[in-house]
Amino acid sequence: MSAVLLVASLSVASPTYAQSPAAGVVQVPGTSFSLDELYRYKSLVGNEPIGYSWSRDESSVLFLWNEEGYSFRDIWSYSPKTGKKTRLTFLGKNSKPEAEEKGIAQAVFLDKGRVAFTIGGKLSIREADGRIVQVETDKEAIRKLVLSPDGRQLAFVSGNPVDPRNRVTPGGVLWVRDLAATGDVAARRVVGSDDAKVYVADYQWSADSRSIAFEENDDRAMPERDIYYYAKGGELQNNRVVRAFPGDETTKARIGIVSAAGGEARFFERPDAKHHIWDFGVSRDRKRLFVSGSDMEAKEHTIYVFDVASGQRETFYQLREPKHLRPDWKVAWAPGDDGLVILTDRDGWLHLYHQRKAGEAPRQITKGNWEIASFSVDAAKKQLYFLANEAHLAERQIYRVPLAGGKIERVSAPTAGTHDAVYSPNFRYVADWFSNDTTPPELFVVDTTKPGKATQVTKSPQPDFYTQTWANITYMEFPSHVDGTNLLARVSLPANYDPSKRYPLIVGSVYSDSVHNQWGGRRAHPTWGIDQYFVSQGYIVLNVNIRGSWGQGREHNQSQHYSYGETDINDLESGVRHLVAKGYVDPKRVGIWGSSYGGLMTIMSLSKKPGVYAAGIAGAPATNVWHAYPGQMWIMGRPEGPDMPARYEAQSALYQSHGIKDPLMIIHGTRDPVVLYSDTIALAEKMIQREQMFELVTIPGGNHAWASDNLPQARFAFKKMVDFFDRNVKNRK
């Protein structure tokens, strides 16, 4: 790769989807909101519309939303034919904002204007006249509602009764409810175990509604671990979880098919039940079943096809890449069951292929130095709809292409941003989750017969959102200072940015896949508000698409192999160097922060790169890869071989923290089952013995996503962060 600067600064134009400020409003140079106002119960940016579900006749789409900005979501519907938006339930009217109830979790259309939905793990049906009837009252943790293709049956998964001692998580049993039955007729149990550690993880109907293919997971061989912590007035609590570490026994998974009427299931065995399953599907004629999976390290992608009648297995597709890092493969049956459509990076970039028979070379459908994130098959028109970053590395746009190949057509509107699509049954419409750097998430609907146009359904931000001048978002590409690889960054500048000044910089929150043209940059963590607050207080905020991130090809990722806390933190430093060289940033006032894997990178950066950062904040830091999920072996490798334990120690901040000299704050919840609080204590003990100064913010009973548990906790933690960075970065002499 050339070390020449590719693009100095690429600014995104004002998108046409964005709402305009209210007429006559005098805008100020940066938000005047406090953290309390940014993170309030009546959300400034509104309640994100989610849970899209189309009716079988494509006349309406359901979505879950709260138009007032509170957390409780009710059911709404929208008709693309009439343009009418209707609120169908009012269950949130008595909800107290401080309770932060999430409301309805899922809703699906039934027949004759009825809607099935879940709330609090219970199943209810809203009748056409608006009455709500709770059904299946003897079941807990009901989820994964799926209507059969013929519309006559509703399938769902329920959990086994929760152990009052919180010793295990609920399992999963698959049920089918006959929608034509009268009275309170309970669903029939189709498949499932009474053991909570054997459960239906996913399922799908056959095209004729007569059978169901399902994935059954078996966690019985996995260890249980006690996570003790004090909370709720200082009482001792135990969060016992089923949790494997690298080298432990892991989940065993298998695919089965069962009649929707019930009876014995038929299972289709793979050579190794511990290998991952990424996709499965039954052909429309119900004669064949594919299972797409990989080895534990995601180095070998294999698709098996089974004969449903005999159970005979053939290896349909296989490709091994020793340094492969990401299991982004996706598979579906081609129209007419004519082989499989495969999303794979076999040419170095994630693209679509069509393979008709086992063992033959797949035919490439799309090609280019850009990647596809997901796809859906329009079997009737023999077209493939997909989400891709063809327009820009930071975007996700909707496209379609004929299965035979040819011209790619953009379906989404010509506006920079990020889309997430739910297609109507016959692909006439798209329920389009859309957001960009100036637009919080909204629901749009696209008529696929009129590509490039979209109708806005929701308007979520509150009126005072439009009275503010928010950060100016810019995208930059620059070379790695180590190997010249092209890197992408999202830079948030103060609205009144002065190029004659050098600003303090916050790098973060650092993570993979952190650069998206959408509100806040990421959906996984509620950092949009603190980012905006930092910028309004005179900081620049930087996010870098580090190696290991999606969207820039396989070669871009491979140097991350065996490299937690090495290549990734070099990429972060490259971003800092670029902004310093361009005159944006004061090199003596640079802070870094991240949570989970981002916490690992923060601690590694402070230790290995003294002087680059004035201070760092590590939230729930993954300091010990011996305690990572086995899935992380995609990057760090198996815990075996002649290079062990040195390889794991090199990737564990617990063993690499001796170089920390600059201020460090750690924020961690004591209940965290993903990254153990005990690992933070182990790191603290080492640092105390070496007399390294640090600050520890403990969140009693806090979970892994410590900023998402509740708003008072988020405000508390974010205020601690602001104070820490102001003391050690912004006001550093």
Side-chain angles (χ1 to χ4, degrees), residues 1-59:
M1 286 284 188
S2 170
V4 178
L5 176 65
L6 298 179
V7 180
S9 178
L10 180 63
S11 296
V12 176
S14 299
T16 58
Y17 275 3
Q19 296 288 339
S20 300
V25 171
V26 178
Q27 297 189 326
V28 296
T31 177
S32 59
F33 286 128
S34 66
L35 283 170
D36 287 338
E37 293 170 309
L38 289 167
Y39 293 97
R40 66 194 193 193
Y41 295 118
K42 187 178 178 68
S43 175
L44 182 68
V45 297
N47 180 283
E48 175 183 355
I50 62 171
Y52 308 156
S53 176
W54 285 95
S55 60
R56 293 174 62 240
D57 63 2
E58 301 186 305
S59 64

Side-chain angles (χ1 to χ4, degrees), residues 141-207:
I142 294 176
R143 58 199 184 275
K144 292 184 178 293
L145 308 181
V146 182
L147 185 67
S148 62
D150 63 9
R152 297 176 180 178
Q153 302 169 90
L154 178 69
F156 59 89
V157 173
S158 76
N160 292 320
V162 179
D163 189 316
R165 296 167 295 175
N166 194 29
R167 294 179 61 84
V168 292
T169 55
V173 175
L174 179 62
W175 306 81
V176 170
R177 182 179 176 88
D178 187 348
L179 297 176
T182 58
D184 189 17
V185 178
R188 58 184 174 274
R189 181 170 178 155
V190 174
V191 70
S193 172
D194 289 330
D195 191 323
K197 294 183 181 179
V198 180
Y199 52 94
V200 175
D202 199 6
Y203 70 94
Q204 55 188 251
W205 285 95
S206 63

